[in-house]
Amino acid sequence: MEQLAVINPRTGQPDHAITPATAEEVAAKAAALKAAQPAWEAMGVGGRCAVMARWLGAVKAKAAEIGEADAHDTGGCHTSYIQGFITMGNIGGWLEDAPKAFAGLEWDSMSTSMPTVRVQSQVVAYPLVGVISPWNAPLMLALLDAVPALFAGSSVLLKPSEVTPRVIEALFETVAEVPELAAVFDYVAGAGDVGQAVIAEADTICFTGSVPTGRKVAVACAERLIPCNLELGGKDPCIVTESADLDRAATAVLRGAVYATGQVCYSVERVYVHQSVHDAFVARLVEKAAEVRLNTDNPRAGHIGPFTHGPQADIVAGHIADAVAKGATVVTGGEIEEIGGGRYMRPTILTGVTHDMAIMQDETFGPCIPVMAYSDTDEAVRLANDTQFGLTASVIAGTAEEAEAIGRRINAGGIFLQDTFLTFAKLRTFGSDSFGWSGYGAPRIGPESLRRFLRRKSLLTQTGAPADIRNDHHLGDKA
Ligand code: NDP
């Protein structure tokens, strides 16, 4: 099979290559994983925890290298360098939480409707979980699904994005150090066709990526009648009220919108500000945006890096051009800067935007902050909910109570009050759903995230005498 070149986002030049798996190779790996999975499941959650603890040790020893590989893939996103540690947190958290997620499913009791029948529960893992992951946060978004699936007792076949394969290669060096895990956790390199080959073999799919690809994945899963979990894009709003501390609001909005060059599913993508404070808010935002530095000289310095996937810059430029053509003003930023072969964009603030512009409707995935004025709270809520998406939303108000009252009216899975970007705070404790086009399936954090990979069985034992059809007189037949 011909190799696929992998571009370095900082130079725009290929400096790596992958060999895409053929459909036969995907099928062979899937078969090997399925063959090893029963022993993995039979270990019980305690046995699996012991293996995963050894993997945690292997990841710890290579955490810095994993971070470097992630930064190489993304172009130097801040979170890249800590991905090894985030992975350790993910595995370590499930070491504590996985046994509890199983305990909640144990059931052994007498039936209330048929008192002589004993009811026992049994849970069995889907044998093979296929995970298809995107190029943004490439390690974290692959492992958010893969790790709980492994703890659940499934085997996992991962198909990472062809744009960011380096960090997955680094990760699998740690997997190779734990043979019991390597038997049930593998990956295949390649593009969309390899993703489809994984769907053809898996028993359930977890996909993170864009809406158009998510649709293709859902259709392919429907053809096979296998369940799928989709985590798709967002167009996340932030409401800033008249009473808000504008300095606080500008700080939170700027970070929420431009962190990782805006290439985060729960980035702030639309801002609604009360008309009485609109101009003052924009002025503060512009001031703060001017202090954001690009990491052109050193990936560890500066605040934001290049676009991880160069062509994404064209999508962002297209949204800005569409907005300007329809009457919006670019207050600051707005240009793609080609520096050393990388494609960069400074924080880009737009005013005079309306909901007939792509920048207010479609996922931009760039460091853009379109700001729109609203006149009263009902209008702000209506605008925030005027979207196909519903991943997260933020509200910044004079008091937490005021923010909460507004947040409760917004249709999205994660509502951040008095700040943006609070997703990490809820990891492990409580899963939330994604609304609209942002997702499909069970929550991917919290106990439900592990239980997505389990099928529940009930074992019903008759402890009394079986019912005798000759004694059935329910039709009122006295004969
Ligand atoms: P894509 O949808 O382009 O790709 C996602 C994955 O699917 C990649 O591995 C891709 O492979 C693969 N793929 C492409 N075509 C197919 C196909 N026909 N069948 C099966 N698999 C296929 O997303 P991006 O990589 O561009 O990621 C960015 C998107 O992900 C954004 O929309 C973002 O919002 C979303 N996202 C959502 C998150 C959430 O939790 N809701 C979190 C993070 C990102 P390849 O790349 O090799 O072509």
Side-chain angles (χ1 to χ4, degrees):
M1 186 79 159
E2 206 173 303
Q3 288 205 321
L4 278 179
V6 183
I7 305 293
N8 180 330
R10 299 184 67 77
T11 64
Q13 297 301 315
D15 68 354
H16 194 73
I18 55 171
T19 306
T22 62
E24 293 71 32
E25 284 163 349
V26 174
K29 284 201 174 194
L33 291 169
K34 283 186 187 180
Q37 185 270 338
W40 177 246
E41 184 167 19
M43 273 183 199
V45 65
R48 289 192 292 279
C49 282
V51 175
M52 296 297 262
R54 281 171 32 226
W55 184 35
L56 175 58
V59 171
K60 188 175 178 187
K62 287 217 165 74
E65 284 145 83
I66 289 171
E68 289 294 335
D70 199 279
H72 197 161
D73 271 339
T74 63
C77 171
H78 274 26
T79 44
S80 280
Y81 292 106
I82 56 169
Q83 282 305 327
F85 302 99
I86 290 176
T87 303
M88 287 161 55
N90 181 356
I91 303 167
W94 280 112
L95 285 175
E96 285 178 32
D97 294 348
K100 288 185 244 168
F102 273 92
L105 296 173
E106 278 166 20
W107 182 260
D108 186 352
S109 179
M110 299 309 285
S111 163
T112 46
S113 52
M114 296 176 72
T116 58
V117 176
R118 180 183 173 195
V119 184
Q120 296 173 84
S121 64
Q122 183 190 358
V123 290
V124 289
Y126 282 97
L128 180 63
V129 176
V131 174
I132 303 174
S133 54
W135 50 257
N136 72 309
L139 183 63
M140 185 163 54
L141 292 171
L143 295 185
L144 210 49
D145 295 314
V147 169
L150 289 164
F151 273 99
S154 299
S155 62
V156 174
L157 184 56
L158 168 65
K159 205 300 281 177
S161 171
E162 72 185 84
V163 178
T164 51
R166 303 171 187 87
V167 67
I168 301 299
E169 293 164 10
L171 178 83
F172 273 85
E173 288 177 19
T174 67
V175 174
E177 290 175 31
V178 186
E180 301 96 312
L181 179 64
V184 290
F185 187 23
D186 206 347
Y187 78 102
V188 282
D193 56 323
V194 181
Q196 288 290 327
V198 170
I199 296 169
E201 303 296 333
D203 299 300
T204 181
I205 287 288
C206 293
F207 170 85
T208 307
S210 63
V211 170
T213 311
R215 272 210 182 86
K216 290 182 196 160
V217 168
V219 168
C221 290
E223 289 286 352
R224 290 201 54 226
L225 292 178
I226 59 168
C228 62
N229 295 272
L230 309 178
E231 286 287 338
L232 309 176
K235 190 70 197 171
D236 297 357
C238 177
I239 294 175
V240 178
T241 70
E242 191 175 12
S243 58
D245 173 337
L246 295 187
D247 198 61
R248 175 190 185 117
T251 298
V253 165
L254 181 65
R255 179 168 182 270
V258 312
Y259 193 92
T261 320
Q263 303 165 115
V264 180
C265 53
Y266 58 92
S267 283
V268 172
E269 291 236 345
R270 306 175 277 149
V271 182
Y272 303 100
V273 186
H274 190 273
Q275 58 191 15
S276 65
V277 294
H278 173 274
D279 293 355
F281 171 78
V282 170
R284 274 176 212 232
L285 198 58
V286 170
E287 242 171 63
K288 289 179 192 286
E291 290 168 19
V292 173
R293 284 179 287 110
L294 305 180
N295 75 1
T296 46
D297 298 335
N298 175 356
R300 285 182 178 275
H303 304 118
I304 58 175
F307 285 98
T308 296
H309 185 39
Q312 184 64 35
D314 298 321
I315 297 173
V316 177
H319 283 195
I320 295 170
D322 170 75
V324 170
K326 290 175 178 158
T329 302
V330 177
V331 184
T332 185
E335 299 295 326
I336 299 173
E337 300 180 35
E338 310 269 353
I339 303 169
R343 308 187 84 191
Y344 295 80
M345 184 177 277
R346 292 175 201 276
T348 295
I349 300 168
L350 296 100
T351 56
V353 293
T354 58
H355 273 211
D356 64 351
M357 298 174 181
I359 205 156
M360 297 300 276
Q361 293 294 328
D362 302 339
E363 187 177 49
T364 306
F365 229 51
C368 295
I369 319 178
V371 184
M372 188 170 172
Y374 70 84
S375 56
D376 59 33
T377 303
D378 285 348
E379 187 188 19
V381 170
R382 183 180 60 72
L383 290 167
N385 286 337
D386 179 23
T387 177
Q388 297 281 4
F389 295 98
L391 193 62
T392 75
S394 319
V395 186
I396 301 173
T399 64
E401 292 71 26
E402 185 190 352
E404 182 182 331
I406 297 170
R408 286 183 179 276
R409 298 173 63 191
I410 300 178
N411 303 327
I415 307 289
F416 312 143
L417 305 174
Q418 304 299 69
D419 201 351
T420 62
F421 248 55
L422 298 181
T423 283
F424 273 95
K426 64 178 181 156
L427 289 178
R428 292 183 59 183
T429 45
F430 183 72
S432 47
D433 295 308
S434 303
F435 286 47
W437 286 0
S438 288
Y440 179 88
R444 69 193 319 202
I445 53 179
E448 281 308 310
S449 157
L450 183 149
R451 292 177 189 154
R452 284 180 293 169
F453 306 111
L454 300 174
R455 285 173 294 182
R456 293 127 211 249
K457 290 169 62 180
S458 47
L459 282 74
L460 308 174
T461 310
Q462 178 59 274
T463 64
D468 185 335
I469 194 165
R470 293 166 301 170
N471 293 335
D472 276 349
H473 296 300
H474 61 283
L475 297 178
D477 178 5
K478 300 264 190 299

